[in-house]
Amino acid sequence: MAEAAVLRVRHCRAAIFCRRAPPRCPLCGLGLRRAGLLAAPLRLPSPFRHGHRQPPAFLLRPSSGSFLGGYDGKSDLHVGISNSNGVVYHYNQEGIHRSETGWEQCISVPLVQPDMFGLLQQWDKLLEEFSVGEAWLPHRYEEHEHNCYTYALAFINSVRTAQGKQPIRKSEFTEKFVIPQTRRASKYITLHQELTANEFYIVPLPEQENSAENELLY
């Protein structure tokens, strides 16, 4: 099912979010067709990706349900690593899974640059060999200390080590790559929830509209 669009119109010193472009401003009632470029509807880019269509990536989704299907921002998240064919490898109390479905709406952090041909060619083999290790047997799983994130980051660091790079700490990886994405996703989820209940979601813009706009949108 296609994700519903979120549009933004600027008028009356406000950001007006909606599903369909309104012919008139909901604040002042004036027509928007001749209101200038700033009032033109802009479709916001979704922060979510189809995980089975991504190149090798670190993927993040709710443990149950979907981000736009009632996620409350507090429930547990699950992570995985995709191979070049869109199969997602992930780890839980049942061991390693190789999923071809279930990751259709997730946050994606690309792991391999397009010009890294050597690594791209080896990626699937490296991922499979790493995943059959004893460390990822079901009985080794521990919810807080040896979980899906442990597995994903351990694989990433095994690749970095093979390339002669220093391992990356969980805190560093999370702060640099995950948190910026989840912040964007959180704002988008808020818009989605508001527009599920209301026709418009209106946010006043301060005097410095340009900087406020950038902060608001992502």
Side-chain angles (χ1 to χ4, degrees), residues 38-65:
L38 287 179
L42 172 69
R43 179 169 182 164
L44 302 189
S46 171
F48 305 116
R49 299 291 179 266
H50 193 305
H52 301 291
R53 297 175 184 169
Q54 297 299 299
F58 173 95
L59 304 174
L60 180 72
R61 66 164 172 81
S63 294
S64 60

Side-chain angles (χ1 to χ4, degrees), residues 143-157:
E143 183 178 2
H144 300 292
E145 299 297 332
H146 197 77
N147 52 33
C148 59
Y149 206 127
T150 311
Y151 161 76
L153 189 60
F155 172 69
I156 291 170
N157 279 329

Side-chain angles (χ1 to χ4, degrees), residues 5-12 14-32 39 41-42 44 190-204 216:
V6 175
L7 305 180
R8 188 215 65 204
V9 174
R10 291 176 64 190
H11 203 257
C12 292
I16 303 166
F17 298 95
C18 50
R19 296 292 190 193
R20 296 180 180 179
R24 296 181 178 276
C25 174
L27 293 173
C28 69
L30 292 179
L32 295 175
L42 172 69
L44 302 189
T190 297
L191 294 176
H192 173 80
Q193 292 173 341
E194 290 289 341
L195 294 177
T196 298
N198 305 287
E199 185 176 2
F200 302 105
Y201 178 58
I202 299 172
V203 180
L216 178 67

Side-chain angles (χ1 to χ4, degrees), residues 39-99:
L42 172 69
R43 179 169 182 164
L44 302 189
S46 171
F48 305 116
R49 299 291 179 266
H50 193 305
H52 301 291
R53 297 175 184 169
Q54 297 299 299
F58 173 95
L59 304 174
L60 180 72
R61 66 164 172 81
S63 294
S64 60
S66 64
F67 281 114
L68 298 181
Y71 179 66
D72 60 6
K74 300 177 182 177
S75 302
D76 289 341
L77 297 173
H78 191 50
V79 305
I81 302 285
S82 61
N83 72 6
S84 63
N85 296 312
V87 177
V88 181
Y89 286 61
H90 53 109
Y91 178 61
N92 63 13
Q93 62 270 25
E94 298 174 354
I96 294 293
H97 298 263
R98 299 163 180 81
S99 300

